[in-house]
Amino acid sequence: MTALRQCRMTDLLRMSLCNLDPLTENYDVHFYIEYMARWPSLFTIAENSDGQIVGYIMGKVEEDPAYFSFSEHYLPWHGHVTALTVAPQYRRLGIAKLLTEAFERACDNQNAWFVDLFVRASNDRAITMYRKMGVRIAILCFEE
């Protein structure tokens, strides 16, 4: 069984099961702390029954500056997924979907208009998962 909860400071020392994966973007510890401090409700941990962290999602709510509001590319208040990862041995069990749905609910609570994210073009499994969830893929940039 997997349980979702808000990330705590001590979790940063226990995320290596997820962060050692080559598909996972790793950040400086200060980056994680900033997200915990500024957007605590948007940093969610998935734990297994043994208390191991098997996945997490972190993100933020933001909007483009007002002076950009006249551009056709202006983005209003919205959620942005900065990182979503599930430990390799826990993939394809629906954990990423649970984390994403929890993130969407948290963004709804903050009156976000939509949620966006970036995914590597080579990450076929993630792209397939997002499409199955009804996520519209606007731009797909290919890596060199």
Side-chain angles (χ1 to χ4, degrees):
M1 184 174 133
T2 303
L4 302 183
R5 64 169 176 78
Q6 191 170 314
C7 185
R8 297 186 291 249
M9 195 68 71
T10 54
D11 292 332
L12 296 180
L13 304 173
R14 302 176 44 239
M15 293 168 38
S16 33
L17 192 60
C18 301
N19 283 351
L20 293 176
D21 177 64
L23 290 175
T24 299
E25 193 73 36
N26 284 282
Y27 302 100
D28 183 90
V29 71
H30 296 98
F31 190 79
Y32 292 104
I33 291 169
E34 178 184 0
Y35 272 69
M36 259 189 279
R38 293 183 68 186
W39 304 284
S41 66
L42 301 177
F43 199 152
T44 303
I45 295 292
E47 270 184 335
N48 68 12
S49 56
D50 295 329
Q52 283 183 301
I53 295 174
V54 298
Y56 67 87
I57 190 167
M58 61 184 261
K60 59 187 174 180
V61 283
E62 63 183 356
E63 71 180 314
D64 284 343
Y67 61 80
F68 203 59
S69 64
F70 300 103
S71 166
E72 65 184 87
H73 303 291
Y74 173 74
L75 293 175
W77 188 250
H78 69 283
H80 174 74
V81 175
T82 303
L84 167 62
T85 188
V86 175
Q89 60 270 43
Y90 288 89
R91 291 189 182 145
R92 305 187 69 80
L93 299 175
I95 295 171
K97 184 175 188 246
L98 288 173
L99 287 164
T100 303
E101 290 169 347
F103 186 84
E104 288 175 339
R105 283 190 304 276
C107 288
D108 283 344
N109 290 339
Q110 297 191 37
N111 299 315
W113 288 32
F114 61 91
V115 173
D116 70 0
L117 58 87
F118 298 100
V119 61
R120 289 185 178 101
S122 61
N123 194 344
D124 294 326
R125 285 187 178 165
I127 293 168
T128 300
M129 178 197 73
Y130 291 128
R131 283 192 170 131
K132 283 182 182 176
M133 290 177 66
V135 172
R136 185 177 70 98
I137 300 193
I139 300 171
L140 193 56
C141 298
F142 293 93
E143 304 159 43
E144 290 186 29

